[in-house]
Amino acid sequence: MDSFMPVVKKCKKKSKRTLDNVLEPVNFKQEEIKRKKHTRLIKVLGEEDESVKLLEDLVFGAEEELVERLGVGSEEDSSAEASGDSEPEAESRLQCPAERKAVWEDEDDGVIEEVDMTQRFREDLKKSDAESRMTNQKLQQRLKEQFQKAMGGTPSWADSSLRKSKKKRDNEEEEGDEEEDDEDTEILRKTGNYVGTSTSLPKGIIKLKKCLNANNEKPGEDRLTTVQFHPSAQVIMTAGLDHSISLFQVDGKSNPKIQSIHLEKFPVNKACFSANGEQVVATGMRNKLFYIYDMMEGKVLPVPSVQGLNEQRVKEFEVSPDNEFLLLTGSSGFLHLMTMKTKEVVRSMKLNGNVCATAFTADGGKVFAHSEEGEVYVWDVRSSKCLNRFVDDGCVRGTSLAVSREGLYVACGSQSGVVNIYSQKACLQDPAPKPLKAVMNLLTPATSLRFNPTSEILAIASRAADEATRLVHIPSFTVFSNFPMFRRKTIYRAHCLDFSPNSGFYSVANNKGHAVLFRLLHYKDF
């Protein structure tokens, strides 16, 4: 009994210490803070709400169970590490799908199919009678060879090396645009009457650039009837139904206005520089009154009547290259030669039918006249004698006429849109000359014709349709394929056209009141 007393006393002390621990006051505020802290940490780990509640129970009342669970997790982690699988490898293994097998396998996939070459559509592809049958692969190769033979080789769009070189060339062209612009403006620093020819204008595609409209600072309020370059200065003139005549300096960039004059109640039918470039002659739409604008003195001189002129109305005229005569187109087939000095008619000529167009030769000694009946007359200016007369080939009704400055060609336009190009020598000697070429690119009446100063380009146009204008290469007599630019309308209805003195610029006057300007990059001078 005495031997058990120490043990009993020891148990009493231990139970008292445990009871003291149980009865020790609890700090609830500190426990609440600790609980919230653990809750936030668990939420950061991305656990679900139920697992968070379970962990709270384990942390605040089941420490042994928590230790057991953590032990199980550590054993699983250690087993994963022992297997040699790292975390990235495990993720990649989960992300990479298993290799998929084909659902269907066709037994004929490996069979080489042959084509019957005896059919009439495939006979031309055979090289010998032995090729009565051919595999699909060989037939495709044969078709490819035939296509390349027909195209003259591999087309540019199918050749990767050519595409790369073209891309490189385009980049080089873009880099050289600024240098090209500098070259374009170099000719604009010069003035004077240049004498320059080109013998190498290529056919097919003409190099040109669309510039700011020549009359951009003062567009016409109505249809333009005239656009003409000055014979020696960098100046262009426009005139139209808005009763005005305007002069602009041509630089291809801003084209500043020089001067503009208004003619009261006088819609201009045609205006033209004199041969020396000192005067402008303008005729109207209603009567025989016309104006002469002296640019040197800045005066506008009306000419109400001309001695010896018995006409009710004068609309069309031509200035002789020697600046001595003005050829007035009258009614009933009459042509009148008026002197520029005395303003009187010195002689007249008569055609059968009505006159539709006239033109002087380069030396001013002869006049070509085209009648509405399709006949062409050649007159001597000094004697008023008809040197030759012939019918424009295939023409039912004549509409226009142009003579080249070099004295090589004559162009005649008709109501059907056909433009016949003749040798000027044949027109002077042959009673029935044959055209060198009949240009049939216009579908409406050819109302405007103009040779460039070097006789390498013939510009043709019709005022009856939008964009109805073409540039014809001479002497190949082929049309440049890249003019006009068909992406969008730029020219509209062309009523008049002209080239600068050395073909550096080309302009078209349209029904919108604009003088559309193009830079012909082949020519270096204005």
Side-chain angles (χ1 to χ4, degrees):
M1 186 66 177
D2 295 334
S3 61
F4 288 103
M5 290 303 291
V7 177
V8 173
K9 291 179 180 180
K10 187 176 180 180
C11 291
K12 286 181 179 180
K13 290 180 180 179
K14 186 176 180 180
S15 60
K16 182 179 181 181
R17 195 184 308 118
T18 305
L19 184 60
D20 293 338
N21 292 337
V22 173
L23 296 176
E24 184 180 358
V26 180
N27 191 345
F28 293 100
K29 184 175 183 181
Q30 186 176 0
E31 292 296 328
E32 181 67 20
I33 293 173
K34 187 183 297 184
R35 189 184 68 81
K36 290 183 178 180
K37 180 180 179 181
H38 286 292
T39 303
R40 287 198 301 269
L41 292 175
I42 293 172
K43 286 186 177 180
V44 170
L45 294 175
E47 299 293 338
E48 299 295 334
D49 294 339
E50 294 181 359
S51 60
V52 170
K53 186 176 180 180
L54 177 61
L55 285 173
E56 285 182 352
D57 295 336
L58 292 174
V59 171
F60 298 110
E63 292 87 358
E64 295 179 356
E65 188 175 352
L66 176 62
V67 171
E68 291 178 0
R69 294 198 178 193
L70 291 176
V72 173
S74 61
E75 290 176 0
E76 292 177 354
D77 294 340
S78 62
S79 63
E81 291 177 359
S83 64
D85 291 335
S86 61
E87 183 177 351
E89 292 176 351
E91 289 182 358
S92 62
R93 187 172 62 252
L94 292 173
Q95 291 176 359
C96 294
E99 184 178 355
R100 301 176 66 181
K101 295 182 179 181
V103 178
W104 175 265
E105 293 183 3
D106 196 338
E107 297 177 355
D108 297 332
D109 286 346
V111 178
I112 300 176
E113 184 179 354
E114 292 187 349
V115 180
D116 185 10
M117 300 299 296
T118 59
Q119 293 185 5
R120 60 190 183 95
F121 296 107
R122 302 191 184 107
E123 285 183 350
D124 295 337
L125 298 174
K126 295 193 303 181
K127 293 184 177 180
S128 64
D129 295 337
E131 294 181 337
S132 59
R133 300 188 70 82
M134 190 180 296
T135 63
N136 272 334
Q137 292 78 2
K138 192 173 181 180
L139 178 59
Q140 291 177 3
Q141 182 64 27
R142 190 66 56 81
L143 289 170
K144 182 179 179 181
E145 292 174 359
Q146 187 185 45
F147 174 77
Q148 292 180 355
K149 183 179 179 181
M151 295 295 294
T154 304
S156 59
W157 54 264
D159 194 335
S160 58
S161 60
L162 288 178
R163 289 201 302 269
K164 291 179 181 178
S165 61
K166 182 178 182 298
K167 185 176 181 180
K168 182 179 180 181
R169 188 166 59 252
D170 293 340
N171 294 334
E172 292 176 354
E173 289 178 358
E174 290 178 1
E175 293 175 358
D177 280 345
E178 295 182 359
E179 297 179 2
E180 184 178 294
D181 291 340
D182 294 339
E183 292 177 1
D184 295 343
T185 56
E186 181 65 24
I187 68 168
L188 302 174
R189 301 173 185 172
K190 305 175 183 178
T191 57
N193 192 4
Y194 299 97
V195 179
T197 60
S198 173
T199 58
S200 60
L201 177 65
K203 65 179 181 179
I205 295 177
I206 186 169
K207 293 182 179 181
L208 53 83
K209 181 173 63 175
K210 172 73 169 60
C211 302
L212 190 70
N213 290 342
N215 64 339
N216 185 68
E217 287 198 0
K218 189 184 182 302
E221 297 178 1
D222 204 334
R223 170 169 60 92
L224 288 184
T225 56
T226 296
V227 62
Q228 186 184 13
F229 288 92
H230 193 275
S232 57
Q234 293 175 200
V235 175
I236 191 171
M237 173 183 62
T238 62
L241 301 183
D242 59 353
H243 308 185
S244 65
I245 299 174
S246 302
L247 301 175
F248 303 87
Q249 181 183 355
V250 180
D251 61 8
K253 294 183 178 180
S254 59
N255 303 325
K257 187 183 74 171
I258 299 174
Q259 193 174 9
S260 181
I261 60 174
H262 183 77
L263 304 176
E264 190 68 28
K265 297 181 181 179
F266 193 81
V268 179
N269 178 73
K270 182 176 181 179
C272 187
F273 286 110
S274 60
N276 56 16
E278 296 180 357
Q279 296 176 330
V280 174
V281 181
T283 56
M285 305 284 292
R286 302 165 183 167
N287 50 41
K288 60 182 179 180
L289 169 70
F290 64 93
Y291 287 92
I292 295 179
Y293 171 47
D294 192 328
M295 293 187 295
M296 304 301 292
E297 298 183 3
K299 295 181 179 179
V300 180
L301 305 175
V303 182
S305 61
V306 176
Q307 186 177 353
L309 180 64
N310 297 319
E311 297 286 349
Q312 295 295 323
R313 183 173 61 182
V314 174
K315 295 173 60 178
E316 301 294 332
F317 68 95
E318 292 290 334
V319 179
S320 64
D322 55 9
N323 205 42
E324 186 175 350
F325 296 105
L326 203 66
L327 182 64
L328 305 176
T329 300
S331 59
S332 302
F334 277 99
L335 296 173
H336 308 282
L337 274 174
M338 185 197 81
T339 60
M340 291 291 290
K341 291 182 178 180
T342 61
K343 307 296 187 297
E344 61 180 350
V345 173
V346 294
R347 60 183 67 92
S348 298
M349 297 164 280
K350 177 72 169 64
L351 282 69
N352 293 334
N354 296 317
V355 181
C356 66
T358 59
F360 280 96
T361 56
D363 59 1
K366 301 177 184 62
V367 170
F368 280 81
H370 198 192
S371 70
E372 292 183 355
E373 285 68 28
E375 289 184 309
V376 180
Y377 293 77
V378 185
W379 300 88
D380 182 74
V381 173
R382 298 296 175 183
S383 63
S384 298
K385 181 181 178 181
C386 182
L387 302 177
N388 196 13
R389 170 187 171 186
F390 62 92
V391 177
D392 184 18
D393 188 63
C395 178
V396 177
R397 182 177 180 182
T399 55
S400 55
L401 179 76
V403 176
S404 68
R405 187 180 298 182
E406 299 291 335
L408 298 176
Y409 305 102
V410 175
C412 301
S414 64
Q415 183 75 17
S416 62
V418 178
V419 178
N420 289 325
I421 304 176
Y422 297 90
S423 166
Q424 190 173 136
K425 183 178 180 181
C427 292
L428 294 174
Q429 300 175 357
D430 195 341
K434 294 297 181 182
L436 301 173
K437 178 67 175 181
V439 182
M440 301 183 182
N441 293 80
L442 297 181
L443 304 178
T444 49
T447 54
S448 298
L449 304 176
R450 179 76 66 178
F451 285 95
N452 80 317
T454 60
S455 301
E456 294 176 309
I457 304 173
L458 171 63
I460 63 177
S462 172
R463 67 178 63 137
D466 291 339
E467 310 300 303
T469 177
R470 301 290 186 272
L471 295 178
V472 183
H473 177 265
I474 297 176
S476 70
F477 304 112
T478 57
V479 174
F480 290 104
S481 60
N482 63 323
F483 184 87
M485 295 169 278
F486 294 100
R487 296 176 184 174
R488 58 187 179 88
K489 289 184 179 181
T490 56
I491 298 176
Y492 294 94
R493 302 202 174 192
H495 284 262
C496 186
L497 37 87
D498 194 27
F499 291 92
S500 61
N502 282 284
S503 306
F505 287 91
Y506 170 64
S507 184
V508 181
N510 63 21
N511 60 324
K512 303 289 184 180
H514 299 148
V516 186
L517 186 65
F518 298 92
R519 171 77 175 92
L520 303 184
L521 301 176
H522 176 77
Y523 300 97
K524 302 302 180 183
D525 294 332
F526 176 79

